[in-house]
């Protein structure tokens, strides 16, 4: 059978025409070729942060870049569309890896041994082959870019199964990089107490897990604000996720009871509290018989303030949101004020009452 006649050039697709010309020894420079030449092989994340990205006008999924140096602004970078292939998972990991690889700081040998002692065998290094855990080996790993992800909020039904993650240099501590106070503050706003320490520059991104895993925008300004709605919900959503994991792993019954449950009040500075699935009860005791007319209680979605005779008796920021309309207060005897806070997210036990 004879070969089909070649297509007329006017009937060819751009891809067919490019292949036809290249097969005849004609050099074709594509848009991708020009971008690669302009970048000199430098990773897109590095180009963006240097301000020399030749594809800034291309759409992509936004991440936040949070420098450890607080004098530098938090800024956005974009995952290129080419990395966002269906079924490819969290593309941010490979996107940010070259940035961490570009930091050529060496691993501190003494700190490496110290951290290994903490991580293995409770500080006993006898069972650890230190010949394999060398500074050279760790530097070789660091040179390739080593990324650790830390979940600020886990996927849950209330956030449409979308998590928020910090992407950090896995060996940032061993490189003795500067502590990233802004990243730690964001983690604290998400309910972590104590908040973790992050070292070096970090990225923060959002990942949807249903119907398939894919990166979605994490917007600088809107999402990095400490008052952002996702941060306000994070503590409760992480507790829901943990409860689900306990059920799956079959160890929910072995978990210690939450603070203030089982009828046992938790004594804090200036007040005590108990809680159940729906409410938190705060008790403030005074040194004198209470004049009910002199009591003023102010309920806000994330705070509680009590004044007596014009003086502040209690002022706390609350762990999670309360339904202001469902909150009440009453006197218990002559010297006790009992404040009832109605939880917005019912069925979730708080690990503590304050942020």
């Amino acid at each position: 059978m004879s070969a089909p006649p070649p297509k007329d050039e006017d009937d060819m697709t751009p891809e067919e025409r490019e292949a036809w010309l290249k097969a005849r020894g004609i050099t074709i420079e594509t848009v991708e070729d020009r971008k690669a030449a302009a970048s000199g092989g430098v990773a897109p994340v590095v180009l963006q942060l240097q301000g020399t990205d030749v594809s800034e006008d291309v759409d992509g999924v936004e991440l936040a870049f949070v420098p450890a140096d607080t004098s530098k602004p938090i800024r956005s970078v974009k995952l290129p569309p080419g990395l966002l292939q269906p079924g490819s998972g969290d593309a941010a990991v490979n996107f940010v890896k070259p940035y961490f690889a570009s930091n050529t700081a060496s691993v501190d040998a003494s700190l490496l041994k110290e951290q290994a002692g903490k991580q293995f065998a409770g500080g006993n290094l006898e069972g650890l082959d230190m010949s394999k855990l060398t500074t050279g080996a760790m530097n070789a790993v660091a040179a390739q870019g080593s990324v650790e992800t830390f979940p600020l909020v886990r996927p849950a039904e209330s956030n449409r199964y979308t998590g928020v993650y910090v992407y950090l240099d896995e060996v940032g501590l061993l490189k003795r990089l500067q502590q990233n106070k802004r990243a730690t503050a964001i983690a604290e706003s998400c309910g972590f107490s104590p908040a973790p320490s992050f070292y070096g520059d970090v990225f923060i991104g959002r990942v949807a897990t249903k119907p398939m895993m894919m990166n979605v925008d994490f917007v600088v300004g809107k999402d990095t604000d400490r008052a952002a709605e996702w941060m306000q919900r994070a503590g409760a959503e992480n507790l829901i996720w943990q409860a689900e994991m306990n059920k799956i792993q079959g160890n929910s019954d072995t978990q210690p009871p939450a603070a203030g449950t089982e009828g046992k009040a938790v004594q804090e500075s200036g007040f005590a509290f108990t809680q159940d699935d729906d409410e938190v009860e705060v008790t403030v005791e005074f040194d004198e018989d209470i004049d009910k007319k002199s009591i003023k209680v102010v309920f806000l979605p994330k705070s509680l303030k009590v004044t007596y005779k014009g003086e502040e008796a209690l002022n706390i920021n609350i762990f999670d949101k309360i339904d202001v309309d469902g909150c009440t207060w009453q006197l218990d005897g002559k010297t006790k004020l009992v404040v009832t806070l109605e939880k917005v997210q019912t069925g979730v036990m708080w690990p503590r009452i304050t942020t």
Side-chain angles (χ1 to χ4, degrees), residues 67-70 176-182 184 196-200:
D69 184 349
T70 55
R176 293 193 178 276
L177 300 182
Q178 179 181 349
Q179 187 170 348
N180 196 316
K181 295 182 179 180
R182 287 183 291 195
T184 295
S197 294
F198 303 105
Y199 296 90

Side-chain angles (χ1 to χ4, degrees), residues 25-278:
I26 299 174
T27 301
I28 303 295
E29 185 184 45
T30 65
V31 173
E32 287 72 25
D33 294 331
R34 288 193 293 272
K35 288 179 180 178
S39 70
V42 180
V45 63
V46 177
L47 288 173
Q48 289 185 40
L49 292 172
Q50 289 176 344
T52 56
D53 187 3
V54 295
S55 59
E56 287 184 345
D57 57 335
V58 176
D59 290 336
V61 171
E62 187 171 345
L63 304 174
F65 173 68
V66 186
D69 184 349
T70 55
S71 69
K72 297 180 179 179
I74 298 175
R75 52 183 295 195
S76 65
V77 294
K78 287 189 175 181
L79 282 165
L83 292 179
L84 304 171
Q85 300 301 319
S88 61
D90 184 358
V93 174
N94 287 329
F95 174 67
V96 304
K97 184 182 291 186
Y99 178 79
F100 296 132
S102 68
N103 186 320
T104 57
S106 296
V107 169
D108 185 294
S110 61
L111 189 56
L112 171 61
K113 186 172 182 179
E114 176 186 330
Q115 291 300 309
K118 292 179 180 178
Q119 295 294 323
F120 295 94
N124 181 5
L125 300 182
E126 291 181 2
L128 179 65
D129 186 356
M130 289 297 291
S131 66
K132 297 180 179 179
L133 191 63
T134 63
T135 305
M138 292 299 291
N139 281 329
V141 172
Q144 299 299 316
S146 183
V147 184
E148 179 182 349
T149 58
F150 179 90
L152 290 173
V153 60
R154 302 281 191 172
E157 185 176 4
S158 56
N159 58 34
R160 299 182 180 179
Y161 299 100
T162 302
V164 177
Y165 301 88
V166 176
Y167 303 86
L168 61 147
D169 189 336
E170 191 172 25
V171 290
L173 171 62
L174 300 180
K175 291 179 179 178
R176 293 193 178 276
L177 300 182
Q178 179 181 349
Q179 187 170 348
N180 196 316
K181 295 182 179 180
R182 287 183 291 195
T184 295
I186 290 173
E188 186 177 40
S189 294
C190 292
F192 290 93
S193 181
S197 294
F198 303 105
Y199 296 90
D201 302 336
V202 306
F203 298 82
I204 303 178
R206 180 176 277 121
V207 180
T209 59
K210 289 187 178 183
M212 68 173 62
M213 182 177 287
M214 60 184 294
N215 299 89
V216 292
D217 285 326
F218 184 85
V219 181
V220 172
K222 173 186 173 183
D223 288 324
T224 53
D225 190 318
R226 296 280 295 276
E229 184 180 354
W230 75 268
M231 286 194 212
Q232 302 302 309
R233 298 195 316 259
E237 289 174 346
N238 285 331
L239 288 175
I240 293 171
W241 180 89
Q242 186 61 59
E244 290 300 317
M245 289 299 100
N246 288 339
K247 289 179 182 178
I248 292 171
Q249 296 167 5
N251 60 359
S252 57
D253 292 337
T254 65
Q255 300 303 304
T261 58
E262 300 184 341
K264 298 177 182 177
V266 176
Q267 187 64 51
E268 301 281 359
S269 177
F271 69 97
F273 79 93
T274 58
Q275 67 170 317
D276 59 24
D277 286 344
D278 304 314

